Amino acid sequence: MKVQKQELHKLIQNKLHRAGLTEEHADIVADVLVHADIRGYHSHGAMRVEYYAERIDKGGINTDPNFTFEKTGPTTAIFDGDNGVGHVVAKKSMEEAIAMAKENGVAIVGAKKMSHSGALSYFVQQAAEEDLIGISVCQSDPMVVPFGGAEPYYGTNPIAFACRGKDNELVTFDMATTVQAWGKILDKRSRNESIPDTWAVDKDGNPTTDPFKVNALLPIAGPKGYGLMMMVDILSGVLLGLPYGNKVSSMYEDLTEYRNLGQLHIVINPEYFAGLKVFKESLTNSMNDLNNIKPAPGFKEVSYPGQRSAMREQENEKNGIEILDDIVEYLQSDVIHHNSYDNKDPFAK
Ligand code: NAI
């Protein structure tokens, strides 16, 4: 059913506050989830609320964290999230990175000890909305084979990038480093459909078209995606002294435990390079160039990354966001959670 943005925000905030988050933290998480839903990334929107509510309720997220921020150099810093809810840690650490990049031209801020932070586009757009370039990478739980391997080692380790042009139009590139998100395989299972053999492997590491035989996901573009997810793990895990690779905590294994995840923000101030005016003009020209490229057969037009989600956002802002009935019913109900996530194997049938 269609739900208006403000209504969805209120429902999510209420539920997470009732689960144990402060009103302020529940408000920020709701903001990040609605951002995902309104842009069409439902895998990182309201459908995650029940999992978060269960984890909060069971003590796996610190609801009263003591955030600390330490500058380790003129352009570097560590934000310790004390295992507070990931969306809040990612947002607040990005605010610090923005302030530092405004002052010094560039900032690299490592956010450590946090839970899942959702769609990274939200955080890089914080920087873009201040006329800076935002880059963010983070760890996620191991479910992807390294190139040539038959066992999972890395997570779907996403990479996001955003900046804006002279009419304040946003370029937002935000992707998992896997061919497909796990949610898409669950969707195929629910429809009893097969999957392309490029998405995932079975327990022996063989490509599979049976969504029920999936034992690990595949990186994008073989060794290249594998290299990218390794880079993300080094920047947001190894660099911050956190668990890395297959030692990264699982999303569902023990909902009473803190996750200790890491995220790294890199913020660049164009004023210190080409100058803001030249940067914004060239960026807009480049985006226009892309829109004017002759489309290939089967395509209506060429879009720049983030263009279609921005259009979706405008449309949904007016007409409401399509959210699955079950999710809206749960959000409207008095139930905090149904105890359905604890100890769930991500590859469980
Ligand atoms: P996706 O595959 O739907 O999109 C990837 C990128 O391609 C986007 O920037 C999109 O704008 C661009 N794109 C798609 N179609 C396009 C077209 N026709 N023309 C131009 N550009 C186009 O995204 P994916 O990989 O499924 O990721 C979804 C979300 O999941 C992201 O927000 C990501 O941050 C989040 N995520 C979060 C994780 C976490 O642990 N916090 C882990 C993995 C993903």
Side-chain angles (χ1 to χ4, degrees):
M1 71 180 84
K2 294 263 192 206
V3 186
Q4 289 302 320
K5 178 182 172 178
Q6 292 76 2
E7 177 62 14
L8 186 61
H9 186 287
K10 202 170 87 194
L11 288 170
I12 296 175
Q13 184 185 9
N14 281 345
K15 185 69 81 186
L16 293 174
H17 180 45
R18 287 192 53 225
L21 288 188
T22 62
E23 267 185 53
E24 185 213 348
H25 287 186
D27 177 45
I28 293 174
V29 182
D31 221 37
V32 180
L33 301 191
V34 171
H35 158 92
D37 271 322
I38 202 166
R39 291 167 58 82
Y41 288 97
H42 298 296
S43 59
H44 287 74
M47 71 164 278
R48 298 276 176 153
V49 174
E50 190 171 353
Y51 159 70
Y52 296 138
E54 187 173 335
R55 189 159 206 116
I56 293 162
D57 183 45
K58 293 186 171 169
I61 288 176
N62 187 353
T63 53
D64 186 22
N66 177 25
F67 296 145
T68 57
F69 179 68
E70 186 196 350
K71 275 196 179 178
T72 51
T75 55
T76 54
I78 300 282
F79 189 103
D80 187 326
D82 196 21
N83 277 300
V85 66
H87 313 72
V88 175
V89 176
K91 181 176 183 184
K92 290 190 184 278
S93 52
M94 179 53 97
E95 284 166 3
E96 300 287 0
I98 289 169
M100 283 174 74
K102 282 185 177 171
E103 204 174 307
N104 292 316
V106 66
I108 304 184
V109 174
K112 66 175 189 185
K113 298 195 193 151
M114 58 194 288
S115 60
H116 186 251
S117 66
L120 300 198
S121 48
Y122 183 92
F123 313 108
V124 288
Q125 284 190 0
Q126 282 178 259
E129 278 157 10
E130 299 282 336
D131 282 330
L132 302 164
I133 298 173
I135 301 172
S136 195
V137 296
C138 78
Q139 298 181 301
S140 78
D141 43 324
M143 50 161 55
V144 189
V145 284
F147 184 69
E151 293 166 14
Y153 186 76
Y154 286 125
T156 55
N157 298 2
I159 300 177
F161 170 96
C163 49
R164 69 177 182 182
K166 76 174 159 60
D167 300 318
N168 293 336
E169 65 283 31
L170 290 166
V171 176
T172 311
F173 178 64
D174 178 23
M175 61 152 210
T177 45
T178 40
V179 179
Q180 280 301 353
W182 175 239
K184 306 243 173 81
I185 289 169
L186 289 180
D187 182 52
K188 291 290 186 182
R189 281 182 179 179
S190 66
R191 293 163 201 267
N192 245 326
E193 288 173 8
S194 61
I195 56 171
D197 64 1
T198 49
W199 287 14
V201 292
D202 64 16
K203 63 179 177 23
D204 300 315
N206 292 314
T208 182
T209 55
D210 181 348
F212 291 95
K213 290 203 172 135
V214 170
N215 191 46
L217 303 177
L218 280 163
I220 49 169
K224 300 180 187 183
Y226 161 45
L228 283 175
M229 60 180 57
M230 180 199 71
M231 182 189 85
V232 170
D233 189 57
I234 292 172
L235 291 176
S236 56
V238 177
L239 184 66
L240 306 182
L242 295 170
Y244 50 85
N246 59 4
K247 295 168 202 72
V248 172
S249 63
S250 148
M251 182 93 104
Y252 304 115
E253 207 168 271
D254 185 351
L255 268 60
T256 66
E257 289 285 324
Y258 291 158
R259 291 209 61 201
N260 275 314
L261 297 177
Q263 184 157 347
L264 190 87
H265 303 308
I266 302 173
V267 179
I268 302 170
N269 187 342
E271 201 63 271
Y272 284 68
F273 295 87
L276 186 61
K277 191 162 180 292
V278 172
F279 174 78
K280 291 184 83 161
E281 261 172 32
S282 303
L283 182 64
T284 296
N285 290 342
S286 171
M287 286 142 83
N288 290 339
D289 287 348
L290 290 169
N291 285 159
N292 289 327
I293 295 275
K294 181 176 136 188
F299 288 83
K300 274 211 227 100
E301 67 215 343
V302 173
S303 319
Y304 55 81
Q307 187 171 16
R308 291 147 62 107
S309 343
M311 278 159 56
R312 229 174 279 139
E313 181 170 350
Q314 270 183 1
E315 237 174 72
N316 290 342
E317 182 108 39
K318 243 193 324 192
N319 305 328
I321 311 168
E322 187 64 47
I323 303 290
L324 289 175
D325 291 358
D326 286 359
I327 295 174
V328 179
E329 278 156 25
Y330 156 71
L331 292 174
Q332 288 170 334
S333 74
D334 285 336
V335 175
I336 304 283
H337 61 84
H338 295 95
N339 233 341
S340 39
Y341 286 98
D342 212 355
N343 277 314
K344 191 171 121 184
D345 172 355
F347 299 110
K349 307 280 182 283

